[in-house]
Amino acid sequence: MISVIADDLSGAAELAGVAVRHGLSAEVQTRFEPSARVEVICLDTDTRFLPPAEAARIVGAATREVMAAKPAGIFKKCDSVLRGSVLAEARAMAGSAGRPRIVVLSANPKRGRIIRDGRYFIAGRPLHETDFARDPSHPRTTAVVADLLGGDLTGVTAPDAQSMADVRARAAALDPQTLPVGGADFFDAWLLTQAVGRSAVQTGDLAPGRGPTLLVCGSKASWRQRQGEAEAQGLPVFALPHAAAAVLHALRSSRCVLLGIGDGPATAGLSPARLTGQLAETVGRILRDATVERLLLEGGATAAAVVHAQGWTRLIAGTEAAPGVGVLRPFDLDRPWLFIKPGSYAWPREIWPG
C-alpha cells in the first residue's frame, strides 16, 4: 500500500484520481483506515488553514499512524502554489517517517505551472502577478519559491521544473531517505518509480451516470463566473440565503442546479467557515430529501465541509472525470458521486452539466 498525506480534500481526490489512471485502486480517507483493500490511500488531514505548529502536530501524528501500517511508499501532497503550512507539514512528516531529506516540487507543467530560476510562473506570468496575489487566505505576494516556503530550508531541495521531463528526472533521482512533496505531476512521475502489487479490488472501472446534479460553489471569487455559466444554460441558481424547498423543486424539475455562497448581502460579516458551513447544511438537506447522482464540489474547503457534515470518512476513487477532477463515491453508498476540483482551476468543459 502507498500512502499519500494531503492538506485538503481536493488535493487528496486529485492524487487518488492519478493513482486510478495508473491502474491502481485508491481511496480518499479523512480518518486513516489501513485495512482498506486498495493500493493507494490518500489521507486528508484538513490542515490547509491551520497555523504551522498545529498543522505540523496533526501531520506528524497522522504520519506515525501511516508508518505503523508499513506502507510501500509515502508521498506528501501540497498545494501547487504552496499555500498553507507546506514547510512545517513536510518537516513533520519527514521527521515522523525518518526521512532526513525533502524534495518539494509543486510545479504542474501540464497545467502551465512551472518553476524557472527558483521562481514560479503560471502561463508565463510570475505567480505574484496572477489572481493568486489576491487569494483571501494565502495571498501570493512573491514568485520566489524559497520565500513562498519560508523558514529554514536546511535539508530541503526545491528544484526548477519547466517540463514533465524535468519532473520525471527528479522523481527518478529520489532515494529512500528523501520525502517527496509536491503536486499532481510530481506524484504522477513518482508513481512510475514505485513497485505496487495489485489488490483484488479495482476501483477504476467505477463510473457515475448523468443523473440529477448539484453543482456547489463555495468561492466568492468564482461565483459570478459560475452564475453566468449556469444562467447561459438555463439552469436554476441559488445563493445565500437558501430556500431549501425551492432548491429541491428546481432540482426535481431541471435535474441540475447551481448552489453557492454567492456574493450578496447575506454573506456580509460572516467568516468563510461559517459561510461554507451554511452551504454544507443546505447540501445535506438536499441529499436527505432528493436523489442526487452527481455532486460537483468546487474547492477543498467546500468539499471537506460537505463530506464532514455527511460523516463520510472513506471515499472510493473512480476514474478521473478530467485532469485535476477527482471522482469519489462514499464507501458504503452507490451515490452520490462527488466530482472534486481545486478552487484554483475552472471546471473543464466536458464536466460542466448541460
Side-chain angles (χ1 to χ4, degrees), residues 101-153:
R101 294 181 293 278
I102 298 168
V103 170
V104 180
L105 185 49
S106 67
N108 279 333
K110 292 179 183 177
R111 293 291 190 115
R113 301 184 176 195
I114 68 167
I115 298 172
R116 182 176 65 242
D117 297 327
R119 302 177 72 225
Y120 202 111
F121 295 85
I122 297 180
R125 297 173 62 195
L127 178 61
H128 64 289
E129 295 179 11
T130 69
D131 289 342
F132 287 106
R134 295 179 292 279
D135 185 277
S137 301
H138 301 101
R140 307 288 79 187
T141 58
T142 179
V144 178
V145 172
D147 293 342
L148 291 166
L149 287 169
D152 178 12
L153 296 182

Side-chain angles (χ1 to χ4, degrees), residues 46 191 212 351:
D46 195 20
L191 272 182
I351 302 305

Side-chain angles (χ1 to χ4, degrees), residues 1-84:
M1 176 264 289
I2 283 174
S3 184
V4 174
I5 293 182
D7 67 350
D8 82 339
L9 193 64
S10 65
E14 185 178 17
L15 294 207
V18 173
V20 172
R21 189 198 313 156
H22 280 258
L24 303 172
S25 56
E27 275 191 19
V28 169
Q29 300 179 355
T30 61
R31 188 167 60 236
F32 186 55
E33 179 45 72
S35 66
R37 296 175 61 240
V38 291
E39 286 105 25
V40 179
I41 294 175
C42 297
L43 177 65
D44 168 33
T45 56
D46 195 20
T47 47
R48 170 74 58 84
F49 299 101
L50 295 181
E54 180 66 4
R57 183 188 66 78
I58 292 171
V59 169
T63 304
R64 289 190 288 275
E65 276 193 89
V66 165
M67 296 307 293
K70 302 187 185 308
I74 56 172
F75 186 95
K76 179 71 179 79
K77 169 67 171 72
C78 72
D79 179 60
S80 65
V81 295
L82 300 171
R83 292 172 296 183

Side-chain angles (χ1 to χ4, degrees), residues 16 20 26-28 38 201-204 206 314-318 327-333 337-338:
V20 172
E27 275 191 19
V28 169
V38 291
V201 179
Q202 293 295 315
T203 59
L206 302 176
R314 295 176 63 184
L315 299 150
I316 299 172
V327 178
L328 309 172
R329 177 174 61 86
F331 178 74
D332 53 354
L333 300 174
W337 286 90
L338 282 61

Side-chain angles (χ1 to χ4, degrees), residues 156-176:
V156 179
T157 302
D160 286 357
Q162 300 186 59
S163 67
M164 278 306 297
D166 293 339
V167 175
R168 285 190 287 268
R170 286 294 178 177
L174 290 169
D175 63 69

